[in-house]
Amino acid sequence: MNITKKDIDKLNAVLTVEVSKEDYSGKVEKVLNDYRKNANIPGFRKGHVPMGMVKKQYGKAVLVEEVNKLLQDALHKFLNEEKLDVLGNPLPKNEAEINWDADDYSFEFELGLAPKFDVDVKGKEVVQYKIIADDEMLNNQVKTIRKQYGKLISKKEVEEGDEITGTFTSNEKEIEKKTTLSTEEIAGKKQLESLIGAKVGDTVTLKTKGMFGDDHDNQKYFGVSHDDAHGLDIEVSFKIEEVNKREMAELNQELFDKLFGEGVVTSKEELKAKIKEDAEGQFAQQSDQKLLNDVVETLIENTKFDLPKEFLQRWIAMTGEKRLSEEDAKAEYERSEKGLRYQLIEGKLRAENNLQVTFEELKDYSKNMIKAQMAQFGQTDPSDEELESIAARILSNKEEVERLSEQLNTNKLLNFFKENAKLKTKEVTYDEFIKEAYA
């Protein structure tokens, strides 16, 4: 067997595989002999079927199968030995022209070659957000905690700041939703005026338009669909079933111990500091995800290289569950091109900067994760033997290994970007972050 490669251009090549009778004849004869030993053909004892009959019935199919096996093995070996970085898989070019009645065959395969390019992570500047919990957020959080752990005092009449339990109904939108809401959540001035002074047992008619500051609250309180929630403009009846005033909890040691454990927090200042620490820890995860997305987008935009577009479209057309038309394959390529470009960029970064995940790193990562989870349930000092045992069970599960590997791969890449990309730190509140990041 002989394989030669002819470059069409920098991104396309053709492999020619010459297969002679000596390459496949022994394998074909062995398979046919096995068929002969086991064939059940009327008129012949098992194992005594004439070879001529076996060849006539099975010969062509066995020949094609064995030659194709040889081709796949030879292509895989050649690509590895020559260290060819290809996209997709080799595509048969002349399979319809093969004369299977001949002794020797010449097969041609198209190759799509990965482009050569450089990645500059220090190119365009990317904003790295540092999200802070400002005083307004901390004060609101303290207020929420005091409300959550406070006492409910039953009332007969609605006043500002009260919580109202009742049922919204509307024949027009088939609404019948029991809910509890605070007057502080009502943004509409007229709706609030209609509720203030209403008594338990009263039914109040309210307009939904502008009732809440966010249309998504229409979905929450009226039970309508996401699509109906936007711009909802109908009248609803609200039957008041219960009115309560929430007396806020005192900021004392009993509350602090209930929230964080005995003696962890001893003052309002320490409470706010703990809230700030916890909130900014959660914000850091969102900031990191935004940073990763922005660096990726910047690299895709600024790393220029060509792809073997026509080859990839043919490969997409031929290798799916069902063959695609040229038009559908082109559309699918356009949808996936960006992802493919980033795969190539990421692969190059990982290879050149040793960012691959080792098994030992994966094991350590899983042990740290287990340790953190155990700490949440009060087990703060597990033995290494215990961690090893649990980690071994986790790493024996293929799906868990894939999930943890993906997390660790992402972490390594994120840390690499933090250390090497051109970043500009910007300090923002959470509300400012949401406006800038997702506007």
Side-chain angles (χ1 to χ4, degrees):
M1 186 179 298
N2 184 48
I3 302 180
T4 56
K5 171 175 166 277
K6 179 183 177 183
D7 290 326
I8 306 302
D9 53 40
K10 289 182 178 180
L11 298 174
N12 295 274
V14 172
L15 290 186
T16 302
V17 185
E18 303 286 349
V19 180
S20 64
K21 188 174 183 178
E22 290 76 19
D23 296 320
Y24 63 81
S25 58
K27 296 178 183 294
V28 171
E29 286 297 323
K30 182 179 183 307
V31 174
L32 290 176
N33 276 323
D34 289 342
Y35 273 37
R36 183 174 179 244
K37 290 176 187 176
N38 298 295
N40 287 310
I41 297 179
F44 297 97
R45 283 185 298 148
K46 188 175 181 180
H48 289 77
V49 179
M51 180 56 83
M53 183 174 289
V54 173
K55 285 185 177 180
K56 183 176 181 181
Q57 188 166 351
Y58 302 109
K60 184 66 67 67
V62 171
L63 170 66
V64 171
E65 184 177 357
E66 291 303 313
V67 170
N68 277 323
K69 285 181 184 177
L70 280 173
L71 284 173
Q72 295 307 313
D73 290 343
L75 287 171
H76 180 72
K77 184 179 178 182
F78 181 83
L79 295 177
N80 282 338
E81 288 179 350
E82 297 295 318
K83 294 182 172 55
L84 291 178
D85 195 2
V86 299
L87 303 178
N89 296 310
L91 290 181
K93 190 170 186 284
N94 67 330
E95 61 181 347
E97 302 167 12
I98 300 299
N99 177 14
W100 290 102
D101 292 323
D103 289 334
D104 301 330
Y105 313 107
S106 179
F107 297 90
E108 292 182 347
F109 294 88
E110 294 180 86
L111 294 183
L113 305 176
K116 306 293 182 186
F117 60 91
D118 294 316
V119 183
D120 181 12
V121 294
K122 296 182 183 295
K124 189 175 179 181
E125 189 174 74
V126 176
V127 173
Q128 181 180 19
Y129 290 96
K130 182 181 179 183
I131 310 171
I132 60 167
D134 61 352
D135 287 339
E136 182 181 358
M137 171 177 280
L138 296 177
N139 290 333
N140 285 337
Q141 197 63 26
V142 169
K143 187 176 179 182
T144 298
I145 290 171
R146 292 184 67 191
K147 279 187 174 182
Q148 184 179 347
Y149 288 88
K151 292 189 298 185
L152 285 179
I153 300 172
S154 181
K155 298 178 60 181
K156 296 295 184 184
E157 185 176 316
V158 178
E159 294 180 284
E160 286 196 33
D162 287 345
E163 293 180 8
I164 313 168
T165 298
T167 301
F168 284 110
T169 56
S170 164
N171 292 330
E172 184 179 344
K173 286 291 183 180
E174 298 182 348
I175 294 171
E176 187 169 351
K177 182 75 162 61
K178 184 171 182 176
T179 190
T180 298
L181 74 164
S182 168
T183 58
E184 293 177 351
E185 295 169 276
I186 307 295
K189 186 177 179 181
K190 289 184 178 179
Q191 292 94 328
L192 184 59
E193 288 174 351
S194 297
L195 287 169
I196 299 300
K199 296 179 174 59
V200 174
D202 287 352
T203 298
V204 182
T205 300
L206 303 167
K207 283 191 172 291
T208 60
K209 186 176 181 180
M211 183 169 174
F212 301 109
D214 185 342
D215 277 355
H216 288 98
D217 284 341
N218 293 332
Q219 189 176 4
K220 175 182 175 183
Y221 291 117
F222 301 134
V224 296
S225 68
H226 182 271
D227 289 341
D228 283 343
H230 288 278
L232 185 67
D233 187 8
I234 60 172
E235 282 191 347
V236 291
S237 296
F238 185 49
K239 183 173 182 181
I240 299 172
E241 299 160 12
E242 192 178 326
V243 178
N244 291 291
K245 178 182 179 181
R246 189 173 287 273
E247 186 178 90
M248 293 200 289
E250 291 294 324
L251 290 177
N252 54 29
Q253 196 59 47
E254 183 183 353
L255 177 61
F256 299 152
D257 290 347
K258 190 182 292 185
L259 290 170
F260 302 107
E262 190 173 344
V264 176
V265 169
T266 60
S267 67
K268 181 179 179 181
E269 289 69 29
E270 288 182 8
L271 171 64
K272 291 174 77 171
K274 191 74 171 68
I275 294 171
K276 183 179 178 70
E277 178 188 347
D278 292 345
E280 290 181 355
Q282 294 177 24
F283 295 159
Q285 296 177 17
Q286 294 185 57
S287 175
D288 282 348
Q289 187 59 57
K290 174 65 175 167
L291 175 63
L292 186 62
N293 293 344
D294 288 349
V295 174
V296 166
E297 287 294 326
T298 300
L299 288 175
I300 293 172
E301 183 181 339
N302 293 283
T303 306
K304 305 298 183 184
F305 54 82
D306 293 325
L307 290 169
K309 182 176 177 180
E310 289 76 15
F311 167 83
L312 289 170
Q313 288 176 7
R314 288 195 296 275
W315 178 71
I316 289 170
M318 295 175 65
T319 56
E321 290 184 9
K322 61 178 183 178
R323 186 156 184 154
L324 299 180
S325 67
E326 185 177 334
E327 184 178 344
D328 288 343
K330 183 179 179 181
E332 180 61 31
Y333 170 78
E334 289 172 353
R335 282 192 293 270
S336 59
E337 181 183 358
K338 191 174 181 180
L340 174 58
R341 287 182 176 278
Y342 182 63
Q343 283 180 22
L344 293 171
I345 293 169
E346 182 182 336
K348 189 175 181 68
L349 286 174
R350 290 193 183 281
E352 291 182 350
N353 297 281
N354 194 28
L355 298 177
Q356 294 87 349
V357 171
T358 67
F359 180 76
E360 283 302 315
E361 288 174 326
L362 189 61
K363 187 168 77 169
D364 288 343
Y365 181 74
S366 64
K367 285 166 68 175
N368 288 331
M369 179 194 70
I370 295 162
K371 204 171 181 179
Q373 290 175 346
M374 292 175 77
Q376 292 177 356
F377 296 96
Q379 295 176 265
T380 56
D381 193 25
S383 67
D384 196 58
E385 184 180 344
E386 190 176 7
L387 292 173
E388 285 278 352
S389 175
I390 299 172
R393 289 202 302 271
I394 290 174
L395 296 177
S396 66
N397 184 313
K398 184 181 176 183
E399 290 182 0
E400 279 297 297
V401 169
E402 289 176 355
R403 184 180 68 83
L404 293 174
S405 295
E406 185 177 346
Q407 289 179 6
L408 189 50
N409 269 314
T410 299
N411 290 347
K412 290 189 85 166
L413 199 61
L414 176 63
N415 290 332
F416 173 78
F417 288 149
K418 284 182 176 181
E419 293 170 7
N420 294 278
K422 188 177 181 181
L423 304 178
K424 176 186 177 182
T425 302
K426 184 174 184 179
E427 195 172 280
V428 292
T429 65
Y430 184 70
D431 288 341
E432 289 169 342
F433 172 74
I434 295 298
K435 286 177 183 176
E436 289 195 27
Y438 303 108

